[in-house]
Amino acid sequence: MGTVLYSIIITPIELFIEIVFNVMNLAFKNPGFAIIFVSIAVQLLCFPLYKRADEIQEQERQKQKEMEHWLNHIKKTFKGDERFMMQQTYYRSVNYKPIYAIKGSVSLLLQIPFFIAAYNFLSHLETLKQASFLGIADLSQPDQLIHIGSLTLNLLPILMTFFNIISGIIYTRGFPLKDKIQTYGLACIFLVILYKSPSGLVFYWTLNNFFSLLKNVFMKLVKNPKKVIRIILLAIGIIAPVYVCFFSGRSVYLKLASLAFAFVCLMPTVIYIIKKHIKSDKNALKEYTSDDVKHTNALFYSALALIFVLVGCFIPVQTIKASPVEFISLNYGPFGLIFYAVCVYIGILFVWINIFYIFSSTKTRKIFAVAASIAAIAGVVNYMFFGKGLGTISICFLYDKYPEFSMKQLLINTLISVFIALAVAIICSKKSVIIKNVNRIAALALAVSLIIGSVSIEKVLADEGHPERAAYNTYIDKKIIPLNKNGKNVIVFMLDRAISGFFPFALNDEPQIKEIFDGFTYYPNTISFGGYTNYATPALFGGYEYTPTEINKRPQDTLVSKHNESIMVLPQLFADNKFDVTVVDIPYVNYQWKYNTSIYGECKDINAYNIIGHCKNDLQEEFLPSFEASQKRSMVFFSLMRSAPLFTQNTIYQSGSYWASSVVKYPISTFINSYSALGSLTELTNISEKDKNTFLMIQNDVTHYPIFLDESDYSIFSYSRQPDFRVLTLEDGSTLDISYYYGLMLYQTFKATLLEFGKWISYLKEQGVYDNTKIILVSDHGEGLGQFKSMLFESGVDVSFYNPLLLVKDYNSSGFSISQDFMTNADTPTLAVRDTIENPVNPFTGKLISNSEKYSHPQIITTSTNGLININNGNVFDTSDGEWWEVKDNIFDEKNWKKVEGN
Amino acid sequence: MIFVPKLLYIDPGSGSMLVTIIIGIVSTLLFAFKKQFLKIKFRLLGGKAEKTNQNKLPYVIFSDNKRYWNVYEPICDEFERRETECYYWTSSPDDPAFNKGYKYVTCEFIGEGNKAFAKLNMMDARICFSTTPGLDVLQWKRSKNTDYYVHTYHAVDEGTGYRMFGIDFFDSVLLSGDFQERYIRILEGKRNFPVKEVKTVGCTYLDAMMKRKNEMEVQDDSDKPFTVLLAPSWGDESILNKFGERILTALRDTGYRIIVRPHPQSYTSDAKLMKELKEKFPETEMFSWNSDNDNFNVLAESDIMITDFSGIIFDYTFIFDRPLIYADTSMDTAPYDAAWIDEPVWRLAILPELGKKLEESDFDDIKSVIDSVSDSEEYRAGRKKYSEMAWQLKGEAAKNTVDYLVNKYNELTAQDNKQ
């Protein structure tokens, strides 16, 4: 409950403060300046509330004064219930409701959330650490500015108290002594409480107090405060941009910010002039009827409802629906995540924006209502028709690649946005009821489709056995991987989305990799049959009988049954040949997202386990809270971004940080689960002297969930540091672009994976089970991020997408070699059984397991991205969104790629 | 992750305001809470009032005490005479109404106090008629199911003697004299309440008294000794408490026939004093103590009245047209509507025109004071003036009242049918 209230009331303001701080910090590269702007922004935002509160309080005081006589009379004359009832009747007679007393206070009370938000934000802010400002050495520590002998005093708290007292003197002028004592007492209490707080925080409060003082001076001492403020702002608005643009020569951000600032400063004067002008035209002041107010309210709330349904529910649901299981974290499931967005947007829309709306005049309300309607309708259009096809987003709401829009898209979107704005404004001025109904109908429509979306999420979760409700960690505590010194060991090790092209660069970066992979042959010229796990894994585990084209040739069977069959081929075959068979973390078993062993349970000769998420580690506790906070926050902004005009989307996206002070841009939790599973292999391996043969089929997906790592030791990277973006070049001239988030994360994680894998290899070597072990390290597919220039074809195909990692170590082999042989990952079964099983026959089809298919015709691969097993789950693959290509020989030569027409 | 703020920082400008606010909020909450609490309290104590969702009752007369029967009786009689269905709800189980054997007037005891209010507050009627003040101020709330509330005064004074807001929430008020409207309008103006309908109908109970007087007047009383009635009120400020023995002695010494009729409350409030006085001044032919339930006969017998009890003054002067000596009748107006009227209370202000004020110095020669008052032309004129002013439409009150109610009923029904 506390968390929910916090999300509704405080979080919106905290986000506001955070954004102002980060924008200004980026502009000035100085947290001190940023704090000044936060203070100004908060004051400006609160000003209308303050003003209104003052007015209401004044009215209230007036009213109390009027009522004083009779209230006292009643108090003196009557007792008990009668007194109360007389009082009530008297209130009735003067049309006064005791609740009015609160009304004036509400706007002041509203500031408490601002206090809490600012406190929470500034007291833990990493950016303040070691940041110096105006002689303060470290904004995260008390300022210690005054030195008297050996005594050190903090200046800011004293300054703050000074402002407090002056402000109090002015504010309580003419107030009774009681009020004065309260004010000064409070000032002293603050001095004591705040004295040892971080100076950044105290600085913020000092500024607030200073501005409050200014405000009190203006309101109480200056006769025409509006005029004075206007002139001062005018002066600042002219001087600031001139200074910034011509004399400081800093960043473009700063210049833009200063222009925006100047614009805000000049607004009052502009409005004043316009108003004056209109008035001189003798445009009679429009009187608003109660019907006007009613219509305005109806319009405003209909728009608010539409915005809420769109950004608060619909977009989150639509986004999460794509892959619900991925959005399960330790503390919440997909719906918990959506609920957070719901809370925050309730807070933003129905609490805060609504409060400002309520405190506005009817005229301003009309503007609010029209603006909200424009935002709502344009938001729906933006989400529905624009900003699509930007690739997938991660569970951290990060695009695979930086979102880029063509000039044409931007232009069309901007024109449409402008058109919507004009149309809505015009219709609103004529017949606002139309827009109101549009808002309502749209909201209703979205609500219906959002319910459908939720049902589909629920269905996926139910199909998966509600993993989000399961106890998160049950740890594996026995050695489940048997390897025997005196028999043969065969290991098929799949790494999900390990990009083959990274390998040469990794070798270059980390020479020890070559040592680790002693005995291995690296096959760079390897193709996979699709870019997604659903297309590529059946062939990887089952061989050429399970390529997408072959699977589609068996339309009588369901995809799930064929998938299950393919991943059963090797375990069954090896079990039939009296191997000790172990299967670990095979993907999409029974077409479920969650790792499970259901289909292996029936066969008692196969030992199946899931270790991802079940290996002890300390990292989870350390990193999960910040990941979850970050994921939730990013989702809120992702929603906003997707409904915003295209030209603003990159600004909101801000390279995926969404203007957060610290953001976790990667699914750290899934990374940790998978990475620690990899790291636990040594512990899980049981080496014995037996002469029995073993077969291990294992998968790890850490390469699928990359994060930033510190490349010196591959520890998890601190968020506040800037990663080392760059483009790598090898001696042969090939390049790797890791100049953006996702690309760099993938590469770093790839290297870390090989090194972590290497630890296990070393262990096998130490234990003397290396030479009698065949290891096939293979990935299902690559990734098409255009990181390798040489792999980008004119046809638009990015070979890297279909270029899986393949490293093979045969029995008793040594030395590291590279082979340019044309390979596919469907070679895996053939490689696994060679020299191991005589006459290897697929137990399900009776056909010989071989790679003869590779030589008899070009391989046919699909570029479809329809990779979701909960959607693409009929009897044949629905590849209609992609193309089919025939590939042969050197896959890096575009001539060897031939599009299959008419498919 | 729950972020609990370690501290609240409050900017000092709003700091002291904040304290005020919090106090304000707490008191408002208490206020709201108390309101609910009282509501529940009344409802619980009132018991379960049956829902009166049957057919709407046409007229309900509500009497909170049988002592107002003199106000209602002529009206009930009029309804009966017209054979018009009417309901008489009373909080007195022994209300004289029950003895009347009406055919058209249904008398019902609705319980006392909160129980009565619970029933009243759910009343389903076209018109509710009552002389009980405090509608919608005290426990007696306007029922959502009752269309119209009519108040009638039970005195012929200016009508500001009710506890504050006494008649503000009635829809109309029936007057005994036009002058009363002025006070209603003053109060309405000061309190911003909607303007009530007013109608001068006369005074039912004075009509009844007058009728009774006229019926008995035939007897010859020429040899009856001159009779002085001392009708004091009770409490510390009352004549008997203040002047007790002295005034009784002075009166006895006049040689006139003296009747002392203490306020019934005196026998409980001032019991000791009463006992002493009764011992010292035993009954003789010329000196008697009266404690009849009905004061009519004793008023009729007397030739002059000495009183400090305002309630009896108008009955006496207007019905019997006899002189008056009044003791200090000052009144603390604070709890009453009168507190809102920035002028002397009418009923007190006019007393010098109706009779002489009793001063302590008069005790020595009280006989001549009595004599001079008895003969005074000035007081006779005063009585006439105020009788005409405060008690208009003599003899027609019951008819006028019922006429008004019936017309109002038809009007409301017509309105209803239109909708």
Side-chain angles (χ1 to χ4, degrees):
Chain A
M1 192 62 204
T3 329
V4 171
L5 279 180
Y6 191 94
S7 319
I8 291 176
I9 297 169
I10 312 288
T11 305
I13 305 166
E14 216 174 310
L15 293 177
F16 170 78
I17 290 175
E18 188 180 28
I19 290 168
V20 173
F21 180 87
N22 287 330
V23 169
M24 289 304 161
N25 194 28
L26 197 67
F28 290 93
K29 302 267 182 277
N30 186 325
F33 275 116
I35 288 175
I36 295 178
F37 280 98
V38 168
S39 177
I40 291 174
V42 168
Q43 292 287 328
L44 284 178
L45 199 63
C46 289
F47 187 73
L49 298 182
Y50 254 127
K51 220 182 107 201
R52 191 82 186 107
D54 268 354
E55 283 167 19
I56 293 173
Q57 290 231 318
E58 187 49 43
Q59 283 169 12
E60 171 72 17
R61 258 197 290 274
Q62 214 57 42
K63 192 93 201 177
Q64 286 293 348
K65 219 170 175 180
E66 278 168 31
M67 297 193 303
E68 197 181 11
H69 170 76
W70 284 112
L71 284 182
N72 284 342
H73 181 93
I74 288 168
K75 216 173 267 176
K76 238 175 25 210
T77 313
F78 300 101
K79 278 188 295 205
D81 289 354
E82 191 182 18
R83 177 195 285 178
F84 172 78
M85 287 187 280
M86 287 296 176
Q87 221 171 311
Q88 215 181 355
T89 311
Y90 177 65
Y91 284 151
R92 212 166 135 188
S93 83
V94 288
N95 212 357
Y96 174 83
K97 293 198 172 68
I99 196 88
Y100 290 172
I102 290 187
K103 212 174 136 193
S105 318
V106 166
S107 60
L108 285 170
L109 277 182
L110 289 178
Q111 292 188 74
I112 294 179
F114 279 88
F115 301 146
I116 299 175
Y119 181 87
N120 273 346
F121 177 68
L122 287 172
S123 60
H124 304 112
L125 193 60
E126 287 274 320
T127 324
L128 293 184
K129 283 197 179 132
Q130 254 119 63
S132 63
F133 183 68
L134 293 178
I136 301 166
D138 184 344
L139 284 171
S140 69
Q141 298 294 322
D143 62 67
Q144 304 194 328
L145 282 179
I146 305 173
H147 299 274
I148 305 167
S150 61
L151 195 69
T152 311
L153 290 175
N154 298 331
L155 175 65
L156 280 175
I158 296 168
L159 202 63
M160 178 194 72
T161 311
F162 173 73
F163 288 143
N164 268 356
I165 287 175
I166 302 279
S167 180
I169 289 171
I170 294 168
Y171 183 77
T172 58
R173 243 183 8 156
F175 283 17
L177 184 68
K178 198 178 78 182
D179 285 355
K180 291 186 178 175
I181 292 174
Q182 260 175 21
T183 309
Y184 302 138
L186 222 57
C188 293
I189 291 171
F190 283 131
L191 175 64
V192 174
I193 294 172
L194 271 179
Y195 189 72
K196 288 194 169 165
S197 292
S199 51
L201 181 63
V202 185
F203 180 55
Y204 173 76
W205 290 118
T206 309
L207 284 171
N208 266 10
N209 289 329
F210 177 69
F211 290 129
S212 160
L213 171 66
L214 281 186
K215 190 186 64 208
N216 283 343
V217 168
F218 267 104
M219 308 279 264
K220 287 241 171 183
L221 301 184
V222 177
K223 270 191 184 156
N224 192 346
K226 275 187 187 172
K227 195 172 172 184
V228 177
I229 290 173
R230 229 170 29 233
I231 292 168
I232 291 175
L233 284 180
L234 185 67
I236 297 174
I238 293 167
I239 294 165
V242 170
Y243 173 76
V244 172
C245 293
F246 294 102
F247 298 102
S248 79
R250 291 206 210 180
S251 70
V252 182
Y253 270 116
L254 183 64
K255 284 176 184 168
L256 283 177
S258 75
L259 282 177
F261 176 67
F263 178 73
V264 172
C265 290
L266 295 177
M267 272 321 272
T269 312
V270 174
I271 291 170
Y272 176 74
I273 291 169
I274 291 173
K275 259 192 188 167
K276 218 174 168 188
H277 185 69
I278 289 172
K279 264 187 194 160
S280 66
D281 280 356
K282 286 183 184 165
N283 269 2
L285 267 177
K286 212 176 156 190
E287 292 265 335
Y288 292 104
T289 63
S290 66
D291 260 13
D292 269 345
V293 176
K294 230 162 78 187
H295 285 147
T296 307
N297 286 349
L299 179 64
F300 176 71
Y301 290 111
S302 71
L304 225 52
L306 178 54
I307 297 176
F308 171 69
V309 174
L310 178 69
V311 295
C313 322
F314 183 72
I315 298 179
V317 166
Q318 290 299 315
T319 309
I320 286 174
K321 198 179 81 178
S323 183
V325 179
E326 279 195 88
F327 288 94
I328 295 170
S329 189
L330 185 57
N331 293 309
Y332 49 75
F335 287 114
L337 197 58
I338 294 165
F339 181 66
Y340 180 79
V342 167
C343 289
V344 172
Y345 277 109
I346 284 177
I348 292 174
L349 297 167
F350 295 111
V351 176
W352 288 105
I353 291 182
N354 192 24
I355 280 169
F356 282 95
Y357 177 78
I358 288 168
F359 277 98
S360 301
S361 63
T362 308
K363 206 169 101 190
T364 320
R365 283 189 185 198
K366 286 204 157 194
I367 298 170
F368 259 108
V370 174
S373 299
I374 293 171
I377 294 170
V380 173
V381 171
N382 287 335
Y383 178 73
M384 295 289 186
F385 304 107
F386 295 95
K388 301 200 158 188
L390 294 171
T392 53
I393 58 141
S394 73
I395 61 170
C396 301
F397 300 91
L398 232 71
Y399 286 110
D400 286 354
K401 286 184 73 177
Y402 203 76
E404 275 169 3
F405 309 105
S406 68
M407 217 38 219
K408 193 178 139 198
Q409 277 178 312
L410 284 173
L411 206 66
I412 292 173
N413 177 259
T414 308
L415 282 176
I416 287 181
S417 299
V418 170
F419 171 76
I420 290 171
L422 288 176
V424 170
I426 290 167
I427 298 172
C428 278
S429 68
K430 305 272 184 231
K431 214 167 169 157
S432 70
V433 69
I434 295 175
I435 299 296
K436 184 189 82 186
N437 287 333
V438 168
N439 287 343
R440 284 186 178 172
I441 292 164
L444 203 69
L446 290 187
V448 169
S449 106
L450 124 85
I451 290 167
I452 295 168
S454 305
V455 169
S456 107
I457 292 176
E458 173 57 29
K459 195 172 164 289
V460 171
L461 293 177
D463 286 350
E464 297 281 329
H466 282 292
E468 80 279 14
R469 289 179 204 161
Y472 196 74
N473 277 333
T474 44
Y475 296 114
I476 302 265
D477 56 359
K478 59 176 183 179
K479 293 181 178 295
I480 55 158
I481 301 174
L483 291 178
N484 295 336
K485 286 185 180 172
N486 298 319
K488 284 180 173 174
N489 303 306
V490 177
I491 299 171
V492 171
F493 203 118
M494 170 182 152
L495 281 173
D496 196 325
R497 201 200 263 172
I499 297 167
S500 179
F502 286 157
F503 194 77
F505 293 89
L507 271 182
N508 193 46
D509 274 4
E510 305 289 346
Q512 75 264 38
I513 289 177
K514 201 166 182 172
E515 257 166 64
I516 291 168
F517 288 95
D518 179 46
F520 277 85
T521 303
Y522 166 53
Y523 294 96
N525 187 25
T526 304
I527 195 90
S528 64
F529 292 86
Y532 285 80
T533 304
N534 59 331
Y535 293 131
T537 44
L540 186 157
F541 289 116
Y544 287 93
E545 289 177 72
Y546 300 95
T547 62
T549 40
E550 292 300 317
I551 282 181
N552 281 359
K553 281 180 191 164
R554 288 168 57 186
Q556 70 279 11
D557 300 322
T558 58
L559 285 177
V560 52
S561 68
K562 287 177 276 192
H563 180 89
N564 284 346
E565 185 182 309
S566 72
I567 56 177
M568 202 64 183
V569 168
L570 287 178
Q572 191 66 57
L573 178 64
F574 277 94
D576 292 346
N577 284 278
K578 307 290 176 230
F579 275 62
D580 211 339
V581 177
T582 308
V583 172
V584 180
D585 293 332
I586 300 305
Y588 298 170
V589 172
N590 237 344
Y591 260 24
Q592 290 185 357
W593 290 100
K594 191 194 168 197
Y595 288 119
N596 68 94
T597 59
S598 54
I599 63 162
Y600 298 105
E602 294 156 17
C603 183
K604 67 175 171 35
D605 298 326
I606 300 171
N607 297 305
Y609 304 95
N610 296 128
I611 64 168
I612 291 174
H614 302 285
C615 296
K616 275 209 170 83
N617 64 82
D618 306 325
L619 296 171
Q620 208 67 273
E621 220 167 284
E622 188 183 340
F623 288 97
L624 202 60
S626 46
F627 165 72
E628 290 185 342
S630 183
Q631 187 186 38
K632 291 196 283 189
R633 185 192 181 283
S634 292
M635 183 185 49
V636 168
F637 280 83
F638 177 77
S639 259
L640 179 71
M641 178 192 73
R642 288 291 285 109
S643 62
L646 287 191
F647 72 90
T648 63
Q649 290 199 0
N650 267 325
T651 312
I652 299 171
Y653 186 64
Q654 212 226 351
S655 316
S657 75
Y658 299 101
W659 294 101
S661 305
S662 63
V663 68
V664 184
K665 297 189 177 182
Y666 31 78
I668 195 158
S669 159
T670 35
F671 170 86
I672 290 170
N673 280 337
S674 303
Y675 193 62
S676 56
L678 198 57
S680 303
L681 288 177
T682 305
E683 258 175 63
L684 297 174
T685 304
N686 180 26
I687 292 171
S688 78
E689 304 285 336
K690 282 189 215 161
D691 57 1
K692 202 179 179 197
N693 298 332
T694 72
F695 173 67
L696 171 65
M697 191 164 98
I698 183 169
Q699 185 268 159
N700 191 282
D701 57 4
V702 64
T703 35
H704 196 283
Y705 298 108
I707 66 167
F708 282 126
L709 297 166
D710 190 326
E711 284 179 62
S712 64
D713 60 357
Y714 296 96
S715 60
I716 292 174
F717 199 71
S718 163
Y719 322 123
S720 52
R721 282 167 55 196
Q722 179 73 4
D724 184 13
F725 296 120
R726 59 204 192 270
V727 175
L728 297 176
T729 311
L730 291 182
E731 276 175 18
D732 65 358
S734 53
T735 57
L736 168 62
D737 183 357
I738 45 172
S739 61
Y740 56 94
Y741 282 90
Y742 197 59
L744 178 60
M745 277 163 31
L746 276 173
Y747 179 61
Q748 290 178 334
T749 304
F750 179 84
K751 287 197 289 179
T753 305
L754 295 188
L755 293 171
E756 200 67 14
F757 180 75
K759 289 181 188 162
W760 186 49
I761 298 289
S762 304
Y763 176 71
L764 301 188
K765 285 176 187 164
E766 275 168 31
Q767 297 294 317
V769 284
Y770 193 63
D771 288 341
N772 64 333
T773 301
K774 180 192 285 200
I775 303 172
I776 303 161
L777 187 63
V778 60
S779 70
D780 50 349
H781 55 80
E783 180 64 298
L785 299 173
Q787 287 176 284
F788 308 95
K789 252 191 203 150
S790 58
M791 297 196 207
L792 278 174
F793 287 169
E794 278 172 22
S795 63
V797 169
D798 182 350
V799 179
S800 170
F801 214 158
Y802 317 101
N803 181 205
L805 181 70
L806 180 61
L807 284 153
V808 183
K809 185 198 102 60
D810 212 336
Y811 307 117
N812 300 311
S813 69
S814 65
F816 175 78
S817 61
I818 298 176
S819 163
Q820 295 298 339
D821 290 353
F822 175 53
M823 303 292 280
T824 80
N825 53 8
D827 287 332
T828 307
T830 314
L831 293 168
V833 297
R834 183 189 295 162
D835 302 331
T836 310
I837 292 173
E838 276 177 42
N839 188 28
V841 170
N842 180 332
F844 301 99
T845 63
K847 288 188 187 162
L848 189 72
I849 291 176
S850 86
N851 58 3
S852 58
E853 287 288 312
K854 187 168 72 173
Y855 304 108
S856 59
H857 57 79
Q859 300 307 303
I860 303 173
I861 70 158
T862 176
T863 61
S864 163
T865 59
N866 193 3
L868 298 179
I869 50 170
N870 53 322
I871 293 170
N872 199 352
N873 64 359
N875 285 12
V876 293
F877 284 122
D878 174 9
T879 58
S880 53
D881 68 310
E883 298 156 345
W884 292 95
W885 289 82
E886 287 183 354
V887 190
K888 58 180 184 182
D889 303 335
N890 180 2
I891 64 166
F892 304 110
D893 187 345
E894 189 161 6
K895 286 200 294 274
N896 293 329
W897 287 65
K898 200 181 140 211
K899 200 173 189 175
V900 181
E901 302 294 344
N903 226 321
Chain B
M1 276 158 286
I2 302 169
F3 297 91
V4 180
K6 286 178 191 148
L7 294 169
L8 281 184
Y9 292 94
I10 301 164
D11 118 51
S14 58
S16 67
M17 263 195 261
L18 210 70
V19 176
T20 326
I21 290 158
I22 289 165
I23 293 166
I25 287 176
V26 169
S27 53
T28 309
L29 288 179
L30 283 179
F31 193 91
F33 173 78
K34 199 167 174 191
K35 198 165 155 182
Q36 288 310 311
F37 176 74
L38 284 183
K39 241 186 209 167
I40 293 164
K41 186 168 123 185
F42 294 148
R43 198 153 292 168
L44 288 182
L45 293 179
K48 273 185 205 160
E50 336 129 41
K51 277 197 178 169
T52 46
N53 267 348
Q54 317 97 327
N55 294 337
K56 232 178 182 32
L57 305 178
Y59 311 93
V60 175
I61 297 170
F62 165 57
S63 169
D64 66 300
N65 193 297
K66 63 179 175 184
R67 73 166 164 267
Y68 298 112
W69 178 238
N70 59 353
V71 175
Y72 298 120
E73 187 179 21
I75 294 163
C76 289
D77 288 348
E78 181 68 15
F79 270 112
E80 183 74 8
R81 193 185 65 73
R82 298 190 191 192
E83 303 185 350
T84 303
E85 190 192 6
C86 161
Y87 292 81
Y88 180 79
W89 287 9
T90 173
S91 276
S92 294
D94 53 349
D95 196 298
F98 293 111
N99 306 327
K100 294 279 289 193
Y102 288 129
K103 243 175 98 182
Y104 295 95
V105 180
T106 314
C107 302
E108 191 182 337
F109 170 59
I110 58 165
E112 292 168 63
N114 286 322
K115 198 174 172 201
F117 291 127
K119 187 163 166 108
L120 286 169
N121 297 349
M122 310 273 283
M123 176 197 288
D124 187 8
R126 187 65 85 192
I127 294 173
C128 175
F129 174 81
S130 182
T131 191
T132 307
L135 175 64
D136 232 23
V137 177
L138 304 175
Q139 290 95 318
W140 184 20
K141 302 295 177 201
R142 283 186 68 112
S143 162
K144 284 196 181 79
N145 302 320
T146 295
D147 303 334
Y148 207 77
Y149 283 86
V150 181
H151 183 80
T152 191
Y153 288 129
H154 48 267
V156 291
D157 56 31
E158 80 297 329
T160 62
Y162 291 138
R163 292 181 88 76
M164 234 175 245
F165 309 110
I167 52 170
D168 282 339
F169 300 101
F170 282 94
D171 298 295
S172 70
V173 183
L174 302 185
L175 313 179
S176 65
D178 296 337
F179 82 106
Q180 290 161 334
E181 180 177 355
R182 189 173 148 256
Y183 296 95
I184 291 175
R185 301 302 176 219
I186 291 175
L187 292 174
E188 279 169 357
K190 288 198 170 185
R191 293 171 184 169
N192 302 312
F193 285 133
V195 172
K196 286 178 279 292
E197 192 172 288
V198 297
K199 169 101 177 155
T200 305
V201 292
C203 177
T204 54
Y205 74 93
L206 284 186
D207 284 350
M209 276 176 93
M210 187 56 111
K211 200 173 154 207
R212 190 169 163 192
K213 185 194 160 223
N214 290 341
E215 278 164 3
M216 66 179 279
E217 213 163 21
V218 233
Q219 50 181 279
D220 175 34
D221 58 350
S222 51
D223 57 342
K224 184 185 82 103
F226 189 84
T227 307
V228 178
L229 171 65
L230 177 65
S233 72
W234 52 276
D236 292 344
E237 292 298 309
S238 67
I239 294 177
L240 286 183
N241 272 285
K242 271 167 94 174
F243 313 120
E245 245 186 283
R246 276 188 64 204
I247 191 163
L248 290 181
T249 313
L251 285 174
R252 193 175 54 189
D253 293 348
T254 57
Y256 293 140
R257 180 174 168 229
I258 307 296
I259 303 173
V260 184
R261 179 183 162 81
H263 192 279
Q265 182 66 30
S266 307
Y267 291 106
T268 41
S269 298
D270 314 320
K272 194 174 161 234
L273 176 73
M274 296 315 293
K275 200 177 164 223
E276 281 169 19
L277 290 176
K278 274 196 162 179
E279 275 169 13
K280 279 199 182 143
F281 298 92
E283 299 236 359
T284 64
E285 197 184 328
M286 295 300 277
F287 193 100
S288 61
W289 294 86
N290 178 288
S291 55
D292 294 348
N293 263 335
D294 178 10
N295 63 9
F296 187 84
N297 286 329
V298 72
L299 292 178
E301 270 176 49
S302 64
D303 296 293
I304 188 168
M305 179 170 77
I306 301 172
T307 187
D308 58 356
F309 179 54
S310 59
I312 204 171
I313 290 174
F314 297 117
D315 298 2
Y316 187 71
T317 49
F318 292 172
I319 296 291
F320 300 101
D321 188 23
R322 285 173 196 158
L324 172 77
I325 295 173
Y326 61 94
D328 187 12
T329 47
S330 68
M331 146 187 185
D332 174 16
T333 59
Y336 308 114
D337 280 338
W340 291 68
I341 309 286
D342 302 323
E343 52 188 77
V345 185
W346 180 87
R347 78 184 74 166
L348 302 181
I350 64 164
L351 286 180
E353 293 180 59
L354 297 178
K356 187 178 181 325
K357 188 173 178 187
L358 179 73
E359 308 287 353
E360 235 184 311
S361 52
D362 296 337
F363 287 2
D364 297 337
D365 193 15
I366 198 151
K367 185 168 186 298
S368 58
V369 172
I370 289 171
D371 291 346
S372 71
V373 169
S374 296
D375 295 337
S376 167
E377 267 313 309
E378 185 200 337
Y379 293 143
R380 196 185 307 278
R383 290 199 294 273
K384 186 164 183 284
K385 173 182 164 193
Y386 287 112
S387 167
E388 278 166 10
M389 181 175 169
W391 180 21
Q392 295 176 317
L393 305 174
K394 291 187 174 73
E396 298 171 26
K399 179 186 164 292
N400 290 342
T401 302
V402 177
D403 278 350
Y404 176 82
L405 294 176
V406 170
N407 287 339
K408 186 51 75 181
Y409 177 86
N410 293 336
E411 192 184 301
L412 293 169
T413 311
Q415 257 174 32
D416 231 23
N417 291 340
K418 244 189 229 168
Q419 284 165 10

